[in-house]
Amino acid sequence: MSSSPSGGPRKLAAIASARLIVVFARLLTGVRAIWAGSTPKAEQTLYFANHTSHGDFVLLWATLPPDLRALTRPVAGQDYWEASALRRFIGQDVFNALMIRRDGGAAGGGTPNPVEQMTEALRSGDSLIMFPEGTRNTGDETLLPLKSGLFHLARAFPQVRLVPVWIENLKRVLPKGTLVPIPLACTVRYGTPLRLADGEDKAAFIARARAAMLDLRPEYDKAEDPAP
């Protein structure tokens, strides 16, 4: 399992920063976790959630029990979280994030693609927070099509719990291009773990995973769906 920041003042600063981030997230958003179809367990887990803001993994991470936070690494965009010394400290030392290249890795350059990086992290025993849409959803669509990476990980690691998650309202708290967050209540809903069924193909599994995420939305949100 990946190690946490080692030794001395930097580690102490990371621990203090983590506590402050959790407190700030709760004060700003009033966030609450709803475990609708599962309970927190100290088992290797892949949490897969909708993605509308850079703060998504922060909110999900903050709602996990402290013992699970220590075992769980958010999957984060390297270009964003390594753009400055402060972001790099928060991403690497506070969250122990798995930094990925969002361009999928340079062709022929030896850089692993995101699925390869997540595969290695899961193989080492980490739990992960991932966003199967592959990019932030900044438009009006409720949920972008899911990428195939979730299927490949489910097939490679049948022992890992796959927990769907829906993050509600964070897009309104931190709209794209906004520097100052808008205080607004947020909810993180955890659903029933999924498993890849015997003989289930990629299209069927991805459709089932997408439906599991959408089913976690509050009723008022579902009511806005267009009629079939």
Side-chain angles (χ1 to χ4, degrees), residues 4-223:
S4 57
S6 60
R10 191 175 183 92
K11 181 176 181 178
L12 293 176
I15 293 171
S17 297
R19 291 173 179 169
L20 286 173
I21 287 171
V22 170
V23 170
F24 180 74
R26 289 174 177 170
L27 288 176
L28 178 67
T29 67
V31 65
R32 62 192 181 112
I34 298 177
W35 295 82
S38 61
T39 56
K41 287 185 178 181
E43 298 178 5
Q44 190 178 17
T45 302
L46 178 63
Y47 304 94
F48 59 97
N50 58 313
H51 191 24
T52 60
S53 165
H54 285 303
D56 287 328
F57 82 65
V58 178
L59 211 60
L60 197 163
W61 182 85
T63 60
L64 291 174
D67 58 330
L68 298 190
R69 270 185 235 136
L71 304 174
T72 305
R73 303 179 68 191
V75 176
Q78 183 180 30
D79 58 322
Y80 179 83
W81 287 99
E82 294 190 353
S84 69
L86 177 59
R87 287 185 192 174
R88 191 158 50 248
F89 168 74
I90 294 173
Q92 294 180 354
D93 293 80
V94 178
F95 295 119
N96 190 26
L98 176 63
M99 299 296 182
I100 62 168
R101 289 181 57 123
R102 289 189 284 190
D103 59 5
T111 303
N113 67 39
V115 175
E116 290 173 345
Q117 290 179 268
M118 286 185 276
T119 296
E120 187 59 35
L122 289 171
R123 188 176 291 125
S124 71
D126 293 323
S127 290
L128 295 177
I129 297 168
M130 72 169 293
F131 303 102
E133 294 167 280
T135 187
R136 279 189 302 146
N137 181 0
T138 58
D140 295 328
E141 193 170 352
T142 304
L143 184 66
L144 298 177
L146 306 191
K147 304 293 186 182
S148 61
L150 181 61
F151 168 77
H152 295 303
L153 295 172
R155 184 173 59 181
F157 298 96
Q159 78 282 8
V160 174
R161 291 201 319 159
L162 307 175
V163 175
V165 181
W166 191 263
I167 301 170
E168 178 193 358
N169 272 344
L170 189 56
K171 186 176 181 180
R172 298 168 189 167
V173 172
L174 195 63
K176 184 177 181 181
T178 299
L179 296 178
V180 180
I182 303 167
L184 188 66
C186 293
T187 302
V188 179
R189 298 172 186 266
Y190 296 85
T192 303
L194 302 182
R195 289 195 180 276
L196 183 65
D198 291 341
E200 187 174 24
D201 64 19
K202 179 173 67 177
F205 176 77
I206 291 297
R208 190 158 61 89
R210 191 173 194 274
M213 295 171 71
L214 290 171
D215 283 347
L216 291 170
R217 293 175 298 159
E219 291 303 321
Y220 75 83
D221 197 354
K222 295 178 186 177

